Amino acid sequence: MVKLNSLGIDYKAVLKGPFARMLVGQVKSIEKDGSRKVRCVKLSLDPKLHKFWNVRRDFRAADSHLDSDVGDMVLISQLVKPQGHLITHKVKEVIFKHGAVIDPITGRLCHGTNYAEDTVNSNFQKHVEKQAESEV
């Protein structure tokens, strides 16, 4: 039995069932073999303290499309047959790209308080005006 923070939380009991089959986690690093190290977090109730604790577990997941990057939130699923002794999961889809802030009303990409298209257009206009001034 693996103890967590000497509180007596059983890791294996927490990570059984459907939690071990389909997981949502954050990509922490990209390994040399192209796999992703994904950290998944689950809340576990300590019966003595009546408090929830974060139970973190890192999984190695194969990413066949290579479209996930560090910081992305991904959905991983357990492989039927593990690829080696470390890679036990695969990346099914990227749920949320890191840094891609989307306005929920318009559905447009944002940079700070401005829309990304507006920022690009205004920068292009400033560049054109500067070029026109330098030619005169």
Side-chain angles (χ1 to χ4, degrees):
M1 183 163 96
V2 179
K3 303 286 183 179
L4 178 66
N5 296 334
S6 69
L7 294 174
I9 299 173
D10 185 8
Y11 241 143
K12 296 188 180 195
V14 169
L15 298 174
K16 281 184 182 175
F19 181 73
R21 291 186 211 114
M22 288 279 253
L23 303 164
V24 174
Q26 186 175 16
V27 178
K28 287 297 179 184
S29 65
I30 299 174
E31 303 299 324
K32 290 181 181 178
D33 60 355
S35 65
R36 279 35 176 169
K37 186 180 284 186
V38 180
R39 175 165 290 166
C40 301
V41 179
K42 183 181 179 186
L43 290 173
S44 176
L45 177 66
D46 184 17
K48 294 179 183 175
L49 297 175
H50 297 289
K51 182 177 178 180
F52 284 96
W53 298 94
N54 284 336
V55 176
R56 294 173 206 89
R57 181 140 183 225
D58 291 343
F59 295 97
R60 294 272 299 269
D63 189 8
S64 58
H65 301 295
L66 302 175
D67 57 353
S68 62
D69 202 8
V70 176
D72 294 348
M73 296 299 292
V74 294
L75 177 69
I76 62 174
S77 65
Q78 192 172 14
L79 291 170
V80 177
K81 184 178 179 187
Q83 297 177 359
H85 99 126
L86 289 176
I87 302 174
T88 57
H89 289 73
K90 68 175 178 178
V91 176
K92 285 192 94 165
E93 67 176 293
V94 177
I95 296 172
F96 186 77
K97 294 291 274 183
H98 178 69
V101 180
I102 298 173
D103 182 26
I105 297 171
T106 61
R108 294 167 60 189
L109 189 65
C110 297
H111 290 295
T113 57
N114 301 327
Y115 292 115
E117 298 87 19
D118 297 342
T119 307
V120 171
N121 291 338
S122 66
N123 289 341
F124 180 71
Q125 285 291 11
K126 289 177 186 176
H127 179 69
V128 169
E129 291 171 4
K130 189 182 279 188
Q131 289 291 334
E133 288 176 6
S134 66
E135 289 177 359
V136 173

